[in-house]
Structure formats: C-alpha cells, structure tokens
C-alpha cells in the first residue's frame, strides 16, 4: 500500500512540475509576443509621425522641385509603413491590425490631398486600341526575356490606361473610370485610388504599390506584380506570376492564382466614402469568399505553400 501511495505521489508531483513548466513557457511566449508588438507599435508610430511632419512641411516650401522631392520622400516612407505592416501580420491582434490598416489608408489619402494642393496634377490619357502594322523584315526573331514579357503585357488594353509611373499618388476620378475597363501598367512605388465602379481592372508589372479599388463588376486580373497591397472588391480575382502581395479582398466568386508565391489574403475591412453606394450599383452581393483561393499549381489535398490567410 505504501508503495502505491509513493507511486501516486510521484506521479502527482510530475504532473505538477509539467504544468508549472508549461505555465513558464506560456508566460515567456506571451512576454515575447508583447515585446514584439510593442516594438512594432513604436516603429509604426514613429514612421507615421515622420510622414505627417513631411506632409505638413510641403506647403512651407517655395520651389516646385523641393515640394515634389519631399512628397516623394513621404511616398517612400508610406511604402515602408505598408511593408512594416505586411511583415507583422502574423502576430498583430485584430484591433491593432485594423487600426494600422486605417492609418495607412489615411496616410495615403493625406498624401493625395497634399499632392493635389501643392503639385499640379497630371492628366491621364484614355487608352485606345491601336492599329499596328508589322513589317516582317523588322521583327527580330530572337527577343530578350524582357522584350517577351513586355509583349505579353502589351496584349491587354482598356478604356483607360495609366502606365510608366513611379513615386506618385494616382487618383482617377469617377467620371474617368465609371463602369470602364482600366489598365494599370509599369507602376512602381505608387499609391493608386480608383474609387468608382469599374468593368474590369488589369494590373501588369506593378511593384511596391498600394491600391484602393472600388467594386469591379467583372474581374481583376494581375500579372507580373510584386510587393504590393490591394484593397479590392470584385466578382473574381485572377492572379498570375505575382509575388509578395497582400490582398484585403471582397470577392463574390473566388480568387484563382497561378505561378504565384508568398500571397496573403484577408477580408476587406477598410473602405472609402461612398463605397456602399458603389457596391450596390455594381450589382455585386455581400457574399465574400475571401478565404476561398484556388492554386492551379497545387493539386495536392494539403494546403498550398504559395498563399496563406490572415485574420
């Protein structure tokens, strides 16, 4: 009997020690998470403050080139702010994630406002289909890989075309893009606001940009894009050869990816003023399959390594 009591006592002691070690490990993990969050919030708020200071100083400058230079600096830091957010998605609590998204959106809106007030806005050209005659004798048989990629991108057209822009805030008015097909091509480090219903949206070769997009009655089609963030609503998302992108998405059908890596998907939670009216006009429903992603390169029943959900 004494031996049985000793065994039971030892077993109880072992269970207590195991529970104690688990509590210590959980406490250590929580402390590390708190330190990680504190460091993120400190860096995020510092960067946000720096951007706001630069934007306040733009109006105080006299020369147009100086104003543009400071705006470009603010845009670069705004891109850094988005990268910091994207890199921290795995540990951010829901409240801090939503707050950070709203701050980034507000920063881009503020940049657009300052740019409109202090730097003359460039006009955008409406795209037209071109009749191109090809002389067979002038066509090179051996194209470089860059030329082949450019040729692939060139097959897309649209009612409205914006291309070859860098370090700018691009805002297309409702009258420019309403229910039209829009093509964005060769953009880098830009903030793009398309606040209207559209027919379709093509993005090709866009790098390190942030997109705030109104409801698209048809599809958004991405190809050759990288390092960008999309706040988008659409019927379907077709995403090809795109890497390192984050999608805050409302999609009534599904997202389809092919030849992609390091994509992240979350439910869209940040909207612009008038969004609900645009959504109603687009004919899209409130159904959101943001977490329904098909990877054409992954046929296994196991989760695809090319994308992940964030909440």
């Amino acid at each position: 009997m004494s031996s049985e009591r000793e065994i039971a006592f030892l077993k109880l002691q072992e269970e207590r020690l195991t529970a104690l070690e688990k509590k210590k490990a959980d406490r250590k993990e929580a402390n590390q998470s708190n330190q990680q969050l504190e460091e993120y919030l400190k860096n995020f708020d510092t960067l946000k403050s720096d951007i706001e200071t630069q934007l306040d100083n733009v109006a105080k400058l006299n020369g147009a080139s100086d104003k543009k230079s400071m705006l470009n600096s603010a845009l670069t830091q705004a891109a850094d702010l988005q990268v910091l957010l994207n890199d921290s998605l795995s540990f951010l609590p829901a409240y801090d994630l939503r707050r950070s998204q709203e701050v980034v959106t507000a920063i881009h809106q503020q940049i657009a406002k300052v740019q409109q007030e202090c730097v003359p806005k460039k006009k955008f050209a409406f795209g037209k289909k071109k009749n191109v005659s090809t002389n067979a004798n002038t066509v090179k048989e051996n194209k470089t890989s860059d030329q082949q990629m450019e040729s692939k991108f060139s097959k897309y057209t649209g009612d409205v075309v914006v291309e070859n822009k860098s370090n700018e805030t691009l805002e297309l008015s409702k009258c420019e893009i309403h229910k039209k097909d829009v093509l964005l091509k060769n953009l880098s480090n830009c903030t793009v606001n398309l606040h209207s219903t559209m027919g379709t949206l093509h993005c090709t070769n866009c790098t390190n940009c942030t997109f705030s997009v109104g409801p698209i009655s048809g599809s958004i089609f991405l190809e050759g894009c990288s390092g960008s963030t999309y706040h988008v609503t659409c019927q379907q998302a077709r995403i090809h050869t795109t890497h390192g992108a984050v999608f805050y998405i409302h999609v009534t059908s599904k997202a389809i990816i092919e030849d992609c890596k390091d994509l992240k998907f979350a439910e869209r939670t940040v909207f612009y003023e008038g969004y609900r009216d645009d959504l109603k006009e687009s004919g899209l429903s409130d159904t959101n399959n943001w977490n329904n992603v098909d990877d054409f390169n992954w046929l296994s029943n196991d989760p695809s390594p090319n994308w992940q959900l964030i909440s």
Side-chain angles (χ1 to χ4, degrees):
M1 183 66 70
S2 176
S3 177
E4 291 180 356
R5 287 180 179 178
E6 289 178 0
I7 292 174
F9 176 77
L10 291 174
K11 184 177 180 181
L12 181 60
Q13 286 293 93
E14 185 179 354
E15 291 175 350
R16 287 176 177 173
L17 287 173
T18 301
L20 183 60
E21 290 299 323
K22 186 177 184 305
K23 285 183 179 180
K24 287 181 179 179
D26 290 344
R27 193 179 300 115
K28 182 178 179 180
E29 184 178 350
N31 288 336
Q32 289 176 341
S33 297
N34 289 336
Q35 290 174 1
Q36 201 173 24
L37 178 59
E38 288 175 4
E39 185 69 17
Y40 164 80
L41 293 175
K42 178 183 176 182
N43 293 336
F44 187 91
D45 289 340
T46 298
L47 197 51
K48 169 180 174 289
S49 178
D50 289 345
I51 296 170
E52 291 173 339
T53 298
Q54 288 192 82
L55 293 177
D56 289 340
N57 290 333
V58 170
K60 301 175 184 178
L61 298 174
N62 293 323
S65 61
D66 291 337
K67 291 181 178 181
K68 186 173 182 179
S69 177
M70 186 160 286
L71 267 175
N72 286 342
S73 177
L75 273 167
T76 299
Q77 287 193 304
D80 292 341
L81 194 68
Q82 183 68 67
V83 170
L84 176 62
L85 171 58
N86 292 348
D87 290 343
S88 307
L89 293 172
S90 60
F91 64 83
L92 283 181
Y95 169 79
D96 293 296
L97 174 58
R98 183 178 180 85
R99 171 188 172 272
S100 297
Q101 290 173 342
E102 290 172 348
V103 168
V104 171
T105 298
I107 286 289
H108 285 301
Q109 290 173 346
Q110 190 176 357
I111 290 174
K113 181 180 179 182
V114 172
Q115 185 178 44
Q116 187 175 14
E117 292 174 350
C118 300
V119 180
K121 182 180 178 182
K122 296 180 181 179
K123 296 291 184 179
F124 295 107
F126 287 81
K128 294 182 180 179
K129 294 182 179 180
K130 298 179 181 179
N131 295 321
V132 180
S133 60
T134 303
N135 186 336
N137 294 326
T138 64
V139 177
K140 295 181 180 181
E141 294 182 1
N142 298 319
K143 294 183 178 180
T144 66
S145 59
D146 288 343
Q147 288 173 324
Q148 289 172 343
M149 183 65 75
E150 177 63 25
S151 176
K152 189 176 184 180
F153 291 155
S154 297
K155 69 182 180 180
Y156 301 116
T157 185
D159 304 311
V160 181
V161 179
V162 180
E163 59 183 342
N164 303 326
K165 304 286 185 181
S166 62
N167 299 307
E168 293 189 35
T169 297
L170 308 173
E171 289 204 56
L172 275 67
S173 66
K174 192 162 189 172
C175 63
E176 290 176 300
I177 62 175
H178 185 236
K179 293 187 177 181
K180 294 182 179 178
D181 297 332
V182 179
L183 169 62
L184 306 177
K185 180 179 176 182
N186 300 334
L187 306 183
S188 64
N189 300 305
C190 289
T191 297
V192 183
N193 296 322
L194 307 176
H195 294 168
S196 173
T197 56
M198 286 170 284
T200 61
L201 175 63
H202 284 91
C203 296
T204 61
N205 197 27
C206 295
T207 305
N208 298 329
C209 296
T210 298
F211 299 86
S212 175
V213 181
I216 303 167
S217 299
S219 298
I220 179 173
F221 186 93
L222 273 68
E223 188 165 23
C225 298
S226 63
S228 295
T229 300
Y230 302 83
H231 300 266
V232 62
T233 298
C234 57
Q235 191 271 330
Q236 187 180 70
R238 302 293 301 270
I239 306 165
H240 294 242
T241 56
T242 293
H243 310 95
V246 179
F247 297 87
Y248 299 99
I249 192 169
H250 178 134
V251 56
T252 59
S253 177
K254 66 172 66 174
I256 298 173
I257 69 174
E258 187 173 11
D259 298 327
C260 296
K261 290 183 179 179
D262 191 25
L263 304 186
K264 297 180 176 68
F265 292 86
E267 187 173 10
R268 184 172 187 172
T269 57
V270 178
F271 309 97
Y272 58 87
E273 184 178 354
Y275 169 84
R276 295 301 304 181
D277 291 336
D278 286 344
L279 180 63
K280 182 177 180 180
E281 183 186 33
S282 72
L284 297 175
S285 69
D286 288 327
T287 300
N288 188 2
N289 295 310
W290 65 274
N291 54 355
N292 186 0
V293 181
D294 277 354
D295 185 351
F296 280 7
N297 296 111
W298 192 256
L299 303 180
S300 170
N301 291 328
D302 296 329
S304 167
N306 299 318
W307 65 273
Q308 61 179 294
L309 299 178
I310 53 178
S311 57

